[in-house]
């Protein structure tokens, strides 16, 4: 395993939710697992006026709520906290970045270490440009250090709002950092189960030969959530589920399930394959958008015996909003492997169940021997890759039920992470932060795969603006989404794997 080098991680937006709920718990777990070198420092950069001690206290409190290692041992935390600092700053004031430069310089000098710096943008996107300008103005990049260290930048989603804005943001970042220094986070890629898609496909001889249009009937990719938008309505109402889930997480899942084997399992080769794959997704015409996309927004309903509000009634959501909280798509990949195989993708909030899975359905039998003796409806074979919860993979097939009578019933063979490996997968952020610090971009989006995904999604969003305003709400919370989404797949003689 690559070793983490002495380095400094600067967290912009360090007093915010993402930093407290995801980034610090991941950093603390990595530290506890012994990954950090002695000279590793974390510096929070944010507007809230705090000093080091108060900042450390807020981290301690949030670790106790959010860290997989909780409860947190106070003595252990005190040791961790010695690596953590805070600079109360202003994103749009160059002097704040000069102060940051002073901090980096003094740590490098005191510990005789290179200026290895990771900049983590955990702020709202509205301040990304200010931060990049500030870093540039204070000359805090590796090209300015002249070989005395590396600089890397980590950017959270949403990366842009549509194709044009993503392209502009990309251009801006590339004017200061090189592509090999840019880490665009899609936390799905940090999930063990997502990485396992490649192992499953390319480390086994039995699956890949049937992984194509000769044997596969169709593929479903579902990210179903029972939660609503919570306190994130300000962001979500501008994004909608298509930007929030489809452009990034769902496109990554689609890529991994459908790409060709890369020459090497490394960042360049893997991402080249993703680009090839996404370029082969058939563009949506206006007619396709009408036929093959479904939008939804949740109404009031019941989830887990509790009455929940409609989306329009959630705090901070404008009552006249037309933002979608559900989307389903049918798409085709026009290449040799997948020609003619429909991919059905769906994602939504406030649904009946909470699960993310990829369901691969194999073609029906060419003819059924058992139909001749009256056994109809033998279920199609399928492979279900459960990304979460109950992470695992199930292969479904038919077997004869015991007894004198001939009957065929569906059964399954299951691989389950917890029982096979006796452990729960680590949090995605731990893996991704580790990779940034050791400099491995394999699990991060590259500018081109990200932009191609935006191109597709932007064409759908633009198409929607021409197909007339939707009538929302159109599904009850606690159901599986709008009826039109059922129709999308049922009209092809198929059903969602619920
Ligand atoms: C985030 C979205 O990227 O992913 C959220 O912004 C969504 O809306 C979340 O709830 C889902 O992530 P996970 O890891 O819970 O599947």
């Amino acid at each position: 395993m690559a070793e983490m080098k002495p380095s400094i991680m600067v967290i912009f937006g360090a007093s915010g939710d993402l930093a407290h709920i995801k980034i610090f718990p991941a950093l603390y777990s990595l530290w506890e697992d012994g990954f950090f070198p002695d000279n590793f420092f974390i510096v929070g950069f944010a507007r809230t006026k705090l000093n080091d001690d108060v900042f450390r206290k807020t981290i301690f409190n949030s670790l106790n709520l959010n860290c997989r290692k909780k409860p947190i041992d106070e003595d252990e935390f005190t040791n961790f906290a010695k690596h953590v600092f805070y600079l109360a700053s202003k994103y749009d004031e160059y002097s704040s970045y000069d102060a940051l430069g002073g901090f980096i310089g003094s740590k490098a000098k005191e510990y005789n270490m290179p200026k290895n710096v990771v900049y983590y943008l955990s702020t709202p996107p509205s301040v990304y440009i200010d931060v990049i300008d500030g870093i540039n103005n204070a000359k805090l990049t590796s090209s300015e250090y002249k070989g005395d260290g590396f600089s890397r930048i980590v950017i959270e989603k949403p990366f842009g709002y549509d194709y044009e804005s993503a392209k502009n943001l990309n251009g801006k970042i590339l004017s200061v950092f090189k592509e090999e220094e840019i880490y665009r986070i899609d936390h799905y890629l940090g999930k063990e189960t997502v990485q396992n898609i490649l192992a499953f496909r390319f480390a086994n001889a039995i699956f890949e030969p049937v992984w194509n249009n000769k044997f596969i009937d169709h593929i479903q990719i579902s990210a179903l959530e029972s939660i609503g938008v919570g306190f994130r309505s300000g962001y979500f109402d501008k994004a909608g589920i298509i930007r929030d889930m489809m452009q990034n997480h769902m496109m990554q899942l689609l890529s991994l399930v459908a790409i060709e084997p890369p020459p090497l399992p490394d960042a360049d080769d893997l991402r080249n394959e993703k680009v090839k794959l996404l370029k082969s997704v058939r563009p949506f015409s206006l007619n396709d958008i009408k036929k093959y996309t479904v939008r939804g927004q949740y109404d009031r309903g019941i989830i887990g015996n509790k009455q929940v509000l409609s989306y329009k009634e959630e705090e901070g959501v404008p009552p006249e909003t037309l933002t979608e909280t559900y989307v389903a798509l049918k798409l085709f990949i026009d290449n040799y492997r997948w020609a003619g195989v429909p991919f059905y993708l769906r994602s939504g909030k406030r649904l009946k169940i909470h699960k993310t899975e990829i369901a691969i359905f194999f073609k029906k039998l060419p003819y059924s021997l058992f139909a001749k003796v009256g056994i109809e409806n033998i279920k199609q074979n399928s492979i279900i890759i459960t990304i979460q919860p109950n992470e695992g993979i199930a292969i479904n097939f038919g077997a004869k039920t015991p007894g004198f009578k001939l009957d065929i019933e569906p059964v399954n063979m299951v691989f389950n992470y917890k029982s096979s490996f006796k452990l729960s997968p680590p949090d995605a952020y731990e893996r991704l932060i580790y990779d940034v610090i050791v400099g491995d971009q394999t699990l991060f989006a590259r500018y081109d795969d990200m932009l191609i995904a935006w191109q597709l999604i932007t064409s759908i969003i633009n198409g929607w603006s021409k197909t007339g305003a939707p009538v929302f709400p159109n599904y009850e919370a606690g159901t599986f989404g709008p009826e039109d989404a059922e129709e999308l797949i049922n009209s092809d003689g198929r059903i969602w794997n619920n």
Side-chain angles (χ1 to χ4, degrees):
M1 261 176 96
E3 258 183 50
M4 285 187 175
K5 299 222 171 75
S7 33
I8 298 171
M9 178 176 273
V10 184
I11 303 180
F12 297 97
S15 56
D17 287 327
L18 178 69
H20 281 77
I21 295 171
K22 290 289 183 192
I23 303 173
F24 275 105
L27 285 166
Y28 186 76
S29 299
L30 287 169
W31 181 79
E32 264 234 311
D33 288 343
F35 284 110
F36 279 8
D38 285 345
N39 298 338
F40 185 85
F41 304 99
I42 301 164
V43 52
F45 183 115
R47 279 182 294 226
T48 315
K49 289 204 166 56
L50 304 171
N51 59 28
D52 290 347
D53 286 338
V54 179
F55 181 55
R56 291 167 182 161
K57 186 92 193 109
T58 66
I59 295 168
F60 181 74
N61 293 340
S62 81
L63 289 181
N64 270 310
L65 292 174
N66 302 303
C67 189
R68 78 181 162 91
K69 310 245 174 197
K70 63 185 184 271
I72 306 298
D73 179 278
E74 286 209 31
D75 292 339
E76 287 280 290
F77 180 78
T78 307
N79 286 330
F80 171 75
K82 288 180 191 150
H83 299 259
V84 179
F85 302 86
Y86 186 79
L87 296 174
S89 311
K90 294 221 168 92
Y91 296 116
D92 56 356
E93 267 184 21
Y94 285 155
S95 56
S96 291
Y97 299 86
D98 293 336
L100 176 63
F103 176 91
I104 295 170
S106 73
K107 281 280 172 277
K109 197 159 168 211
E110 189 180 344
Y111 293 93
N112 192 23
M113 58 188 261
K115 289 179 184 164
N116 292 333
V117 189
V118 173
Y119 298 106
Y120 198 127
L121 264 70
S122 151
T123 62
S126 53
V127 299
Y128 284 178
I129 302 290
D130 283 341
V131 173
I132 293 161
D133 278 342
I135 294 173
N136 190 30
N137 186 70
K139 301 193 182 336
L140 301 180
T141 55
S142 65
S143 43
E144 302 285 351
Y145 301 155
K146 311 222 171 2
D148 181 27
F150 62 67
S151 57
R152 297 180 184 142
I153 184 159
V154 184
I155 302 160
E156 281 285 341
K157 62 167 264 276
F159 194 99
Y161 181 73
D162 55 14
Y163 174 73
E164 278 305 318
S165 57
K167 203 165 126 200
N168 291 341
L169 175 59
N170 213 35
K172 181 74 197 174
I173 301 170
L174 280 167
S175 69
V176 177
F177 291 91
K178 302 184 199 77
E179 178 61 33
E180 57 271 24
E181 298 176 323
I182 305 173
Y183 291 74
R184 299 174 190 84
I185 285 216
D186 182 317
H187 79 278
Y188 266 53
L189 292 177
K191 291 180 191 277
E192 281 289 333
T193 34
V194 174
Q195 294 162 47
N196 205 32
I197 299 171
L198 288 185
F200 179 71
R201 288 189 55 198
F202 302 133
N204 294 294
I206 54 175
F207 302 117
E208 204 45 28
V210 294
W211 212 258
N212 56 52
N213 55 7
K214 287 193 193 68
F215 298 94
I216 292 180
D217 174 67
H218 76 282
I219 293 184
Q220 301 180 16
I221 305 179
S222 304
L224 313 179
E225 296 186 283
S226 51
I227 54 171
V229 289
F231 55 85
R232 297 165 71 230
S233 60
Y235 148 75
F236 188 88
D237 199 61
K238 292 197 188 70
I241 205 88
I242 193 151
R243 294 183 179 87
D244 186 47
M245 294 291 293
M246 277 287 166
Q247 185 275 333
N248 38 67
H249 310 323
M250 301 291 280
M251 287 295 135
Q252 291 290 349
L253 295 180
L254 173 73
S255 302
L256 292 174
V257 84
I259 54 169
E260 295 302 315
L264 284 175
D266 67 11
D268 280 346
D269 287 356
L270 186 69
R271 297 187 298 176
N272 288 344
E273 292 303 332
K274 285 187 187 174
V275 168
K276 266 167 59 188
L277 189 275
L278 290 173
K279 276 188 176 166
S280 309
V281 174
R282 188 184 301 167
F284 280 74
S285 67
L286 195 57
N287 201 28
D288 293 339
I289 292 171
K290 286 186 199 146
K291 274 186 359 213
Y292 297 157
T293 74
V294 174
R295 289 180 273 177
Q297 188 192 78
Y298 59 84
D299 201 348
R300 292 177 183 177
I302 293 179
I303 294 197
N305 297 327
K306 268 174 68 187
Q307 175 75 44
V308 297
L309 297 175
S310 69
Y311 176 66
K312 288 180 205 277
E313 294 167 317
E314 301 271 18
E315 207 182 316
V317 174
E320 72 289 355
T321 182
L322 289 179
T323 298
E324 80 289 345
T325 59
Y326 178 100
V327 68
L329 311 175
K330 171 167 130 180
L331 58 80
F332 289 94
I333 297 173
D334 288 335
N335 66 13
Y336 268 71
R337 187 190 284 262
W338 296 116
V341 177
F343 286 73
Y344 300 91
L345 277 59
R346 61 179 172 158
S347 181
K349 300 225 177 257
R350 281 285 188 235
L351 298 174
K352 190 181 175 94
I353 56 173
H354 200 95
K355 72 167 176 182
T356 304
E357 71 170 27
I358 301 172
I360 294 114
F361 285 89
F362 288 83
K363 292 204 158 151
K364 292 204 170 111
L365 294 167
Y367 103 105
S368 171
L369 173 65
F370 299 104
K372 292 186 176 160
V373 289
I375 302 175
E376 303 285 351
N377 297 328
I378 294 183
K379 270 189 96 174
Q380 265 168 288
N381 293 136
S382 61
I383 297 178
I384 311 294
I385 303 176
T386 307
I387 307 295
Q388 61 196 24
N390 304 323
E391 291 83 356
I393 295 171
I395 301 182
N396 302 309
F397 52 97
K400 180 188 166 302
T401 47
F404 296 152
K405 191 169 159 264
L406 181 59
D407 216 348
I408 309 278
E409 285 287 326
V411 293
N412 55 40
M413 282 192 320
V414 178
F415 149 66
N416 177 277
Y417 268 83
K418 284 190 193 119
S419 48
S420 293
F421 295 126
K422 308 280 177 280
L423 45 83
S424 307
D427 185 78
Y429 272 81
E430 287 175 40
R431 171 64 198 255
L432 295 177
I433 290 177
Y434 168 84
D435 281 0
V436 174
I437 299 169
V438 301
D440 183 347
Q441 291 183 302
T442 310
L443 301 179
F444 295 83
R446 201 168 63 187
Y447 72 98
D448 42 1
D449 64 272
M450 182 266 306
L451 284 179
I452 298 169
W454 263 125
Q455 216 162 22
L456 182 79
I457 296 303
T458 307
S459 76
I460 296 175
I461 297 170
N462 290 344
W464 282 346
S465 68
K466 296 184 190 126
T467 55
V471 181
F472 282 164
N474 60 351
Y475 70 96
E476 224 178 276
T479 64
F480 278 103
E483 273 175 21
D484 285 351
E486 298 298 323
E487 188 52 27
L488 176 77
I489 191 164
N490 296 166
S491 59
D492 293 340
R494 303 179 174 110
I495 54 170
W496 290 113
N497 188 55
N498 286 331

